[in-house]
Amino acid sequence: MAMKAGFLAAAAAACVCLAAAAAAFDVPTVAFEEGFSPLFGDGNLVRARDDRAARLLLDRRSGSGFISSDYYLHGFFSASIKLPRDYTAGVVVAFYLSNGDVYEKTHDELDFEFLGSRWGGQWRVQTNVYGNGSTSRGREERYLLPFDPTLEAHRYSILWAPTHIIFYVDDTPIREVVRHPGMGGDFPAKPMAVYATIWDGSAWATEGGKYKVNYKYAPFASDFSDLSLLGCRAAAAADPAALRLGRSSDAAAAGCDLLGLLTADYAVMTPQKRAAMRAFRARRMTYTVCYDAARYAAGPFPECDNSEEERGAFWAWGESKTVVMKARGRGRRGRGSRAGAGARGRAGAASS
């Protein structure tokens, strides 16, 4: 209860920091009531008094999450997120697009997943792309952040266009997936909703499941604000039948400024942005599926922009030879290690 009350008081005090994070792109934001609905967690979802922010809590009883009120066919989706502090092994915070509730076997998905650690502040970020149920062909990448994401909110954004996808941290692109004919249905192409969740990923999130959630440190709290939904509305989340029956495509086309989306600054990869992306990836990427020859012996995915020079910086199993997580400070719980490929999962509630 104290943590929930503290969030309500801190939400107003944090407005200066959050405004700085939101300045990454000049985009409008929505109040929670205008764009989202609770998904699970009951009292573990706490909304700010002004309804412009929400706190998600994970404790022994449950995780929590919320979902956009509409499904979208392409768009720009963004949130400022502050991650839990201290020991967070096994904790997963996610900001993502998905239609798994509608297309259980052929779902599409675009992920930001934040993976907790034994050392406060050293969260890893994982991005992933799925299309048409291609979960057996995961396209994971993982990165370390150049800042402590537990001290203040930073903005994380996903641009999803018919031609390409860009993941952003603040105003820096960290990954671009250009649609390639060889991808076929693996490129997300069906309307998706926007989700934010926190949950127990003990089975895989931290060093392949070696370190579990320790509820002695609970509740784990993640703050979401500056919520942006700039997309082509396809159907209400309360009416998934419209998606299954195909009525959503016409609705999205009728109300969508696709040219405006494709020409917006966040959709255009300038030479300066590309240079910043390459620099980030060289310094911060711990794993990429594009160099994982052990997992995909037939070769990289068609959209991978590989080079022989860059390949030398990665092991044959896709992990970086130089970018590794290291223990920080004294009195911490052991030594750092490279991120393992791990398994992937999502859960609606914490394990006991």
Side-chain angles (χ1 to χ4, degrees), residues 313-336:
F314 291 87
W315 299 105
W317 51 92
E319 293 178 1
S320 173
K321 296 178 179 179
T322 57
V323 183
V324 296
M325 182 175 283
K326 299 177 180 178
R328 296 192 308 196
R330 297 180 180 178
R332 298 296 185 186
R333 291 175 166 78
R335 300 178 61 85

Side-chain angles (χ1 to χ4, degrees), residues 73-287:
L73 183 62
H74 309 123
F76 180 77
F77 309 96
S78 185
S80 291
I81 305 172
K82 183 180 178 182
L83 297 173
R85 301 185 65 178
D86 302 322
Y87 181 93
T88 55
V91 177
V92 178
V93 175
F95 178 67
Y96 63 103
L97 282 70
S98 178
N99 50 36
D101 292 337
V102 180
Y103 307 101
E104 294 183 6
K105 296 182 179 180
T106 59
H107 86 284
D108 307 299
E109 192 165 320
L110 296 172
D111 289 330
F112 265 117
E113 289 180 315
F114 304 90
L115 312 179
S117 77
R118 293 176 289 157
W119 310 294
Q122 287 207 16
W123 285 74
R124 288 179 300 148
V125 180
Q126 176 168 287
T127 62
N128 212 334
V129 177
Y130 295 111
N132 206 36
S134 59
T135 54
S136 63
R137 298 182 297 279
R139 287 168 156 84
E140 298 95 336
E141 287 191 346
R142 286 185 285 276
Y143 328 85
L144 301 179
L145 291 167
F147 49 77
D148 185 340
T150 72
L151 297 180
E152 62 181 17
H154 286 266
R155 198 165 181 86
Y156 304 90
S157 309
I158 301 172
L159 178 280
W160 173 38
T163 53
H164 63 294
I165 297 159
I166 304 176
F167 293 87
Y168 285 95
V169 174
D170 292 326
D171 60 353
T172 301
I174 66 169
R175 182 179 187 182
E176 180 185 31
V177 178
V178 177
R179 189 171 193 170
H180 187 283
M183 294 181 71
D186 286 2
F187 190 92
K190 297 187 294 294
M192 294 188 280
V194 181
Y195 295 77
T197 58
I198 185 170
W199 47 282
D200 186 327
S202 291
W204 67 278
T206 304
E207 298 191 37
K210 181 178 180 180
Y211 298 96
K212 316 295 186 184
V213 173
N214 187 340
Y215 285 101
K216 179 178 72 174
Y217 298 95
F220 303 96
S222 185
D223 297 338
F224 288 76
S225 60
D226 299 320
L227 301 167
S228 293
L229 297 168
L230 301 178
C232 306
R233 286 183 175 86
D239 185 23
L243 299 181
R244 296 190 189 99
L245 295 174
R247 296 199 302 264
S248 62
S249 298
D250 292 340
C256 181
D257 180 10
L258 191 55
L259 179 61
L261 172 68
L262 291 171
T263 56
D265 58 348
Y266 45 73
V268 179
M269 184 63 77
T270 63
Q272 293 81 5
K273 283 185 182 179
R274 190 172 300 282
M277 180 176 70
R278 291 191 180 281
F280 179 96
R281 293 168 67 83
R283 297 168 185 162
R284 297 291 170 179
M285 187 162 64
T286 64
Y287 170 84

